[in-house]
Amino acid sequence: DRRALPDPAALAAFEKLYVFVSHHHDDHFSPAIYDLCGENATYILGFDIPQPYKGVRMSPGEARTFGALTVNAYGSTDEGVSFCVDFAGVTLFHAGDPRQGSMYDAGAGYFIMTVKPKVFIPMHFQGRPDVALRFAVTGETPQTRIVALEQPGDHIDLHLPEDEASAPDQKLKDLLKDDE
């Protein structure tokens, strides 16, 4: 859906652009990313993205380094992979495509209680921002702020920490290793 794509001029302003695609479903992957992001972007793809689409494909258990960026691929509860990305003392985790049925928030709640991320962004609420907003209210903890994006194209800006004292701890990596 082109309404959810960022403005190409905004993307061109970045010195380096990394594009992550967790799996082949058309709500996660579109060939339009190549026109939108251009030749200079680094495309990091789940193993199930079909050829001839360019990019570095990753399978669960793989780790790769792209300059100062370290990416670990883990499994997903649906298709493809999830990504754990480390850059400049910040760890970002993209779960891929969680499929929990009526227990849609079980994995998210477990992740928040176990890892205690500073920021959690719920996704994949099938056009029901009210569900994401309700989860943001009921799932937030003193350690974790939940930011619910309400419509396609919404975004937040993350600012990197100034020093290592504000870097995340080892809990995320330990949790993911236990699940391998």
Side-chain angles (χ1 to χ4, degrees), residues 31-106:
I33 63 172
Y34 297 101
D35 291 332
L36 179 69
C37 300
E39 288 293 317
N40 293 329
T42 299
Y43 297 91
I44 303 167
L45 312 173
F47 63 90
D48 65 341
I49 303 299
Q51 295 290 349
Y53 299 111
K54 83 170 197 173
V56 176
R57 284 168 179 73
M58 295 186 71
S59 296
E62 284 189 79
R64 303 254 179 143
T65 301
F66 303 88
L69 191 79
T70 301
V71 180
N72 287 277
Y74 296 94
S76 172
T77 59
D78 189 27
E79 299 281 338
V81 298
S82 57
F83 295 109
C84 184
V85 182
D86 291 301
F87 178 73
V90 173
T91 301
L92 299 170
F93 181 71
H94 184 292
D97 198 4
R99 297 273 180 190
Q100 308 287 157
S102 63
M103 296 286 293
Y104 68 90
D105 61 349

Side-chain angles (χ1 to χ4, degrees), residues 2 8 10 29 45 48 54 72 76 85 90 106 111 119 126 131 153 157 162 169:
R2 286 215 170 266
F29 172 71
L45 312 173
D48 65 341
K54 83 170 197 173
N72 287 277
S76 172
V85 182
V90 173
F111 188 87
V119 179
Q126 312 325 55
V131 175
D157 293 324
E162 295 291 326
D169 60 20

Side-chain angles (χ1 to χ4, degrees), residues 148-170:
L149 305 179
E150 298 182 47
Q151 55 189 315
D154 280 359
H155 72 280
I156 64 168
D157 293 324
L158 297 175
H159 299 275
L160 300 178
E162 295 291 326
D163 58 40
E164 286 298 312
S166 57
D169 60 20
Q170 189 68 30

Side-chain angles (χ1 to χ4, degrees), residues 123-142:
M123 58 178 243
H124 225 314
F125 284 96
Q126 312 325 55
R128 295 277 318 272
D130 58 305
V131 175
L133 290 167
R134 186 170 43 255
F135 179 74
V137 170
T138 60
E140 196 160 284
T141 70

Side-chain angles (χ1 to χ4, degrees), residues 117-121 140-147:
K118 291 180 181 162
V119 179
F120 185 91
I121 305 168
E140 196 160 284
T141 70
Q143 297 84 17
T144 302
R145 177 176 170 225
I146 300 177
V147 178

